[in-house]
PDB file of all heavy atoms in Angstrom:
ATOM      1  N   ASP A  25      18.556   6.425  32.950  1.00  0.00           N
ATOM      2  CA  ASP A  25      17.924   7.576  32.304  1.00  0.00           C
ATOM      3  C   ASP A  25      16.422   7.360  32.149  1.00  0.00           C
ATOM      4  O   ASP A  25      15.613   8.268  32.369  1.00  0.00           O
ATOM      5  CB  ASP A  25      18.550   7.829  30.934  1.00  0.00           C
ATOM      6  CG  ASP A  25      19.975   8.349  31.029  1.00  0.00           C
ATOM      7  OD1 ASP A  25      20.357   8.841  32.112  1.00  0.00           O
ATOM      8  OD2 ASP A  25      20.699   8.257  30.013  1.00  0.00           O
ATOM      9  N   TYR A  26      16.055   6.149  31.770  1.00  0.00           N
ATOM     10  CA  TYR A  26      14.636   5.838  31.559  1.00  0.00           C
ATOM     11  C   TYR A  26      13.857   5.922  32.876  1.00  0.00           C
ATOM     12  O   TYR A  26      12.753   6.479  32.925  1.00  0.00           O
ATOM     13  CB  TYR A  26      14.500   4.448  30.943  1.00  0.00           C
ATOM     14  CG  TYR A  26      13.070   3.994  30.777  1.00  0.00           C
ATOM     15  CD1 TYR A  26      12.288   4.472  29.725  1.00  0.00           C
ATOM     16  CD2 TYR A  26      12.493   3.095  31.677  1.00  0.00           C
ATOM     17  CE1 TYR A  26      10.976   4.069  29.574  1.00  0.00           C
ATOM     18  CE2 TYR A  26      11.187   2.691  31.533  1.00  0.00           C
ATOM     19  CZ  TYR A  26      10.426   3.171  30.486  1.00  0.00           C
ATOM     20  OH  TYR A  26       9.113   2.776  30.342  1.00  0.00           O
ATOM     21  N   GLU A  27      14.420   5.383  33.932  1.00  0.00           N
ATOM     22  CA  GLU A  27      13.724   5.373  35.226  1.00  0.00           C
ATOM     23  C   GLU A  27      13.513   6.787  35.772  1.00  0.00           C
ATOM     24  O   GLU A  27      12.586   7.034  36.540  1.00  0.00           O
ATOM     25  CB  GLU A  27      14.503   4.538  36.242  1.00  0.00           C
ATOM     26  CG  GLU A  27      14.542   3.047  35.942  1.00  0.00           C
ATOM     27  CD  GLU A  27      13.165   2.384  36.041  1.00  0.00           C
ATOM     28  OE1 GLU A  27      12.237   3.011  36.562  1.00  0.00           O
ATOM     29  OE2 GLU A  27      13.035   1.238  35.577  1.00  0.00           O
ATOM     30  N   ASN A  28      14.358   7.723  35.353  1.00  0.00           N
ATOM     31  CA  ASN A  28      14.210   9.114  35.800  1.00  0.00           C
ATOM     32  C   ASN A  28      13.270   9.928  34.908  1.00  0.00           C
ATOM     33  O   ASN A  28      13.021  11.103  35.183  1.00  0.00           O
ATOM     34  CB  ASN A  28      15.583   9.797  35.842  1.00  0.00           C
ATOM     35  CG  ASN A  28      16.436   9.270  36.978  1.00  0.00           C
ATOM     36  OD1 ASN A  28      15.929   8.959  38.051  1.00  0.00           O
ATOM     37  ND2 ASN A  28      17.743   9.157  36.732  1.00  0.00           N
ATOM     38  N   ASP A  29      12.756   9.294  33.848  1.00  0.00           N
ATOM     39  CA  ASP A  29      11.864   9.976  32.901  1.00  0.00           C
ATOM     40  C   ASP A  29      10.416   9.709  33.305  1.00  0.00           C
ATOM     41  O   ASP A  29       9.874   8.630  33.052  1.00  0.00           O
ATOM     42  CB  ASP A  29      12.140   9.472  31.482  1.00  0.00           C
ATOM     43  CG  ASP A  29      11.404  10.270  30.412  1.00  0.00           C
ATOM     44  OD1 ASP A  29      10.372  10.900  30.743  1.00  0.00           O
ATOM     45  OD2 ASP A  29      11.843  10.237  29.251  1.00  0.00           O
ATOM     46  N   LYS A  30       9.779  10.680  33.948  1.00  0.00           N
ATOM     47  CA  LYS A  30       8.408  10.494  34.454  1.00  0.00           C
ATOM     48  C   LYS A  30       7.398  10.309  33.318  1.00  0.00           C
ATOM     49  O   LYS A  30       6.432   9.558  33.445  1.00  0.00           O
ATOM     50  CB  LYS A  30       8.004  11.676  35.326  1.00  0.00           C
ATOM     51  CG  LYS A  30       8.801  11.770  36.623  1.00  0.00           C
ATOM     52  CD  LYS A  30       8.324  12.936  37.471  1.00  0.00           C
ATOM     53  CE  LYS A  30       9.110  13.019  38.772  1.00  0.00           C
ATOM     54  NZ  LYS A  30       8.651  14.148  39.628  1.00  0.00           N
ATOM     55  N   VAL A  31       7.625  10.993  32.196  1.00  0.00           N
ATOM     56  CA  VAL A  31       6.710  10.853  31.055  1.00  0.00           C
ATOM     57  C   VAL A  31       6.781   9.437  30.489  1.00  0.00           C
ATOM     58  O   VAL A  31       5.747   8.820  30.190  1.00  0.00           O
ATOM     59  CB  VAL A  31       7.043  11.887  29.956  1.00  0.00           C
ATOM     60  CG1 VAL A  31       6.196  11.638  28.705  1.00  0.00           C
ATOM     61  CG2 VAL A  31       6.813  13.296  30.473  1.00  0.00           C
ATOM     62  N   ALA A  32       7.997   8.909  30.359  1.00  0.00           N
ATOM     63  CA  ALA A  32       8.159   7.558  29.834  1.00  0.00           C
ATOM     64  C   ALA A  32       7.486   6.540  30.754  1.00  0.00           C
ATOM     65  O   ALA A  32       6.870   5.576  30.283  1.00  0.00           O
ATOM     66  CB  ALA A  32       9.636   7.225  29.678  1.00  0.00           C
ATOM     67  N   LYS A  33       7.585   6.779  32.054  1.00  0.00           N
ATOM     68  CA  LYS A  33       6.959   5.867  33.001  1.00  0.00           C
ATOM     69  C   LYS A  33       5.432   5.917  32.880  1.00  0.00           C
ATOM     70  O   LYS A  33       4.752   4.891  32.926  1.00  0.00           O
ATOM     71  CB  LYS A  33       7.383   6.217  34.429  1.00  0.00           C
ATOM     72  CG  LYS A  33       6.953   5.189  35.474  1.00  0.00           C
ATOM     73  CD  LYS A  33       7.521   5.509  36.849  1.00  0.00           C
ATOM     74  CE  LYS A  33       9.019   5.324  36.860  1.00  0.00           C
ATOM     75  NZ  LYS A  33       9.591   5.508  38.224  1.00  0.00           N
ATOM     76  N   ALA A  34       4.883   7.114  32.682  1.00  0.00           N
ATOM     77  CA  ALA A  34       3.436   7.260  32.503  1.00  0.00           C
ATOM     78  C   ALA A  34       2.968   6.565  31.223  1.00  0.00           C
ATOM     79  O   ALA A  34       1.914   5.913  31.192  1.00  0.00           O
ATOM     80  CB  ALA A  34       3.057   8.735  32.468  1.00  0.00           C
ATOM     81  N   VAL A  35       3.761   6.693  30.173  1.00  0.00           N
ATOM     82  CA  VAL A  35       3.428   6.027  28.910  1.00  0.00           C
ATOM     83  C   VAL A  35       3.446   4.513  29.094  1.00  0.00           C
ATOM     84  O   VAL A  35       2.572   3.796  28.583  1.00  0.00           O
ATOM     85  CB  VAL A  35       4.415   6.453  27.805  1.00  0.00           C
ATOM     86  CG1 VAL A  35       4.255   5.574  26.559  1.00  0.00           C
ATOM     87  CG2 VAL A  35       4.205   7.921  27.439  1.00  0.00           C
ATOM     88  N   ARG A  36       4.422   4.009  29.852  1.00  0.00           N
ATOM     89  CA  ARG A  36       4.505   2.577  30.096  1.00  0.00           C
ATOM     90  C   ARG A  36       3.261   2.077  30.829  1.00  0.00           C
ATOM     91  O   ARG A  36       2.719   1.021  30.506  1.00  0.00           O
ATOM     92  CB  ARG A  36       5.762   2.252  30.902  1.00  0.00           C
ATOM     93  CG  ARG A  36       5.993   0.753  31.068  1.00  0.00           C
ATOM     94  CD  ARG A  36       7.324   0.448  31.710  1.00  0.00           C
ATOM     95  NE  ARG A  36       7.228   0.446  33.165  1.00  0.00           N
ATOM     96  CZ  ARG A  36       8.067   1.071  33.980  1.00  0.00           C
ATOM     97  NH1 ARG A  36       9.052   1.797  33.480  1.00  0.00           N
ATOM     98  NH2 ARG A  36       7.928   0.987  35.289  1.00  0.00           N
ATOM     99  N   ARG A  37       2.811   2.860  31.800  1.00  0.00           N
ATOM    100  CA  ARG A  37       1.594   2.479  32.526  1.00  0.00           C
ATOM    101  C   ARG A  37       0.389   2.432  31.574  1.00  0.00           C
ATOM    102  O   ARG A  37      -0.430   1.513  31.631  1.00  0.00           O
ATOM    103  CB  ARG A  37       1.314   3.484  33.647  1.00  0.00           C
ATOM    104  CG  ARG A  37       2.421   3.623  34.684  1.00  0.00           C
ATOM    105  CD  ARG A  37       2.506   2.405  35.592  1.00  0.00           C
ATOM    106  NE  ARG A  37       3.505   2.609  36.624  1.00  0.00           N
ATOM    107  CZ  ARG A  37       4.654   1.949  36.696  1.00  0.00           C
ATOM    108  NH1 ARG A  37       4.946   1.045  35.766  1.00  0.00           N
ATOM    109  NH2 ARG A  37       5.509   2.175  37.665  1.00  0.00           N
ATOM    110  N   ALA A  38       0.295   3.414  30.698  1.00  0.00           N
ATOM    111  CA  ALA A  38      -0.842   3.475  29.773  1.00  0.00           C
ATOM    112  C   ALA A  38      -0.801   2.325  28.771  1.00  0.00           C
ATOM    113  O   ALA A  38      -1.844   1.756  28.409  1.00  0.00           O
ATOM    114  CB  ALA A  38      -0.850   4.812  29.046  1.00  0.00           C
ATOM    115  N   LEU A  39       0.400   1.959  28.319  1.00  0.00           N
ATOM    116  CA  LEU A  39       0.534   0.915  27.319  1.00  0.00           C
ATOM    117  C   LEU A  39       0.342  -0.490  27.885  1.00  0.00           C
ATOM    118  O   LEU A  39       0.235  -1.458  27.123  1.00  0.00           O
ATOM    119  CB  LEU A  39       1.912   1.001  26.651  1.00  0.00           C
ATOM    120  CG  LEU A  39       2.109   2.173  25.694  1.00  0.00           C
ATOM    121  CD1 LEU A  39       3.545   2.220  25.192  1.00  0.00           C
ATOM    122  CD2 LEU A  39       1.154   2.073  24.504  1.00  0.00           C
ATOM    123  N   LEU A 347       4.053  11.294  22.097  1.00  0.00           N
ATOM    124  CA  LEU A 347       3.984  10.174  23.027  1.00  0.00           C
ATOM    125  C   LEU A 347       5.366   9.705  23.464  1.00  0.00           C
ATOM    126  O   LEU A 347       5.592   9.393  24.633  1.00  0.00           O
ATOM    127  CB  LEU A 347       3.211   9.024  22.363  1.00  0.00           C
ATOM    128  CG  LEU A 347       2.783   7.851  23.239  1.00  0.00           C
ATOM    129  CD1 LEU A 347       1.826   8.313  24.331  1.00  0.00           C
ATOM    130  CD2 LEU A 347       2.115   6.780  22.381  1.00  0.00           C
ATOM    131  N   PHE A 348       6.322   9.678  22.512  1.00  0.00           N
ATOM    132  CA  PHE A 348       7.628   9.102  22.813  1.00  0.00           C
ATOM    133  C   PHE A 348       8.781  10.093  22.735  1.00  0.00           C
ATOM    134  O   PHE A 348       9.913   9.759  23.062  1.00  0.00           O
ATOM    135  CB  PHE A 348       7.910   7.931  21.859  1.00  0.00           C
ATOM    136  CG  PHE A 348       6.973   6.776  22.049  1.00  0.00           C
ATOM    137  CD1 PHE A 348       5.962   6.520  21.120  1.00  0.00           C
ATOM    138  CD2 PHE A 348       7.086   5.943  23.145  1.00  0.00           C
ATOM    139  CE1 PHE A 348       5.101   5.457  21.287  1.00  0.00           C
ATOM    140  CE2 PHE A 348       6.226   4.879  23.325  1.00  0.00           C
ATOM    141  CZ  PHE A 348       5.224   4.634  22.391  1.00  0.00           C
TER     142      PHE A 348
END
Side-chain angles (χ1 to χ4, degrees):
D25 290 342
Y26 176 78
E27 292 294 347
N28 289 324
D29 188 337
K30 293 182 179 181
V31 174
K33 189 174 292 185
V35 169
R36 186 173 87 228
R37 301 288 184 249
L39 288 175
L347 191 62
F348 295 106

